């Protein structure tokens, strides 16, 4: 709680697949903080729901941000909009602002 990325909202687009019964996905997310500053990252998730991301751009305080992390899902939040899903991930990695 109250960490650097706590309570940010995200909008993600990507695609997923199932091959031989194993799930995977890849895509991009745009994060927005309470000040309206944004940063984007590229992600890739494996069959166990764990994955990795890498920062690819940002605005405001996130302009020029570098970072990457591994993530693991925590719980299963309910879908707010039919046909969509929500997700909560615990991230472990590093980042650096300008």
């Amino acid at each position: 709680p109250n960490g650097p990325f706590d309570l940010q909202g995200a909008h993600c687009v990507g695609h997923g697949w199932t091959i031989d019964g194993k799930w995977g996905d890849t895509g991009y997310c745009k994060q927005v903080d309470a000040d309206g500053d944004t940063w984007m990252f590229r992600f890739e998730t494996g069959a166990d729901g764990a994955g990795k991301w890498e920062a690819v751009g940002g605005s405001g305080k996130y302009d020029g941000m570098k970072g990457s992390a591994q993530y693991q899902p925590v719980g299963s939040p309910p879908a707010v909009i039919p046909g969509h899903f929500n997700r909560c991930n615990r991230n472990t990695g590093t980042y650096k602002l300008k």
Side-chain angles (χ1 to χ4, degrees):
N2 302 317
F5 304 112
D6 191 37
L7 299 176
Q8 289 188 357
H11 181 228
C12 303
V13 293
H15 65 278
W17 57 87
T18 303
I19 299 173
D20 295 329
K22 295 181 181 176
W23 165 261
D25 69 7
T26 188
Y28 291 84
C29 292
K30 178 181 176 182
Q31 298 281 125
V32 181
D33 71 12
D35 296 327
D37 293 332
T38 64
W39 64 283
M40 292 188 68
F41 63 89
R42 177 179 48 243
F43 67 88
E44 186 175 330
T45 309
D48 63 354
K52 60 185 176 181
W53 62 258
E54 180 180 10
V56 294
S59 70
K61 67 177 95 39
Y62 305 109
D63 181 40
M65 181 175 114
K66 305 283 184 196
S68 62
Q70 303 288 324
Y71 58 84
Q72 182 69 38
V74 178
S76 298
V80 176
I81 300 171
H84 293 71
F85 70 94
N86 294 327
R87 195 170 160 152
C88 182
N89 291 316
R90 179 167 312 280
N91 290 263
T92 305
T94 61
Y95 73 97
K96 182 177 180 179
L97 301 177
K98 271 187 172 179

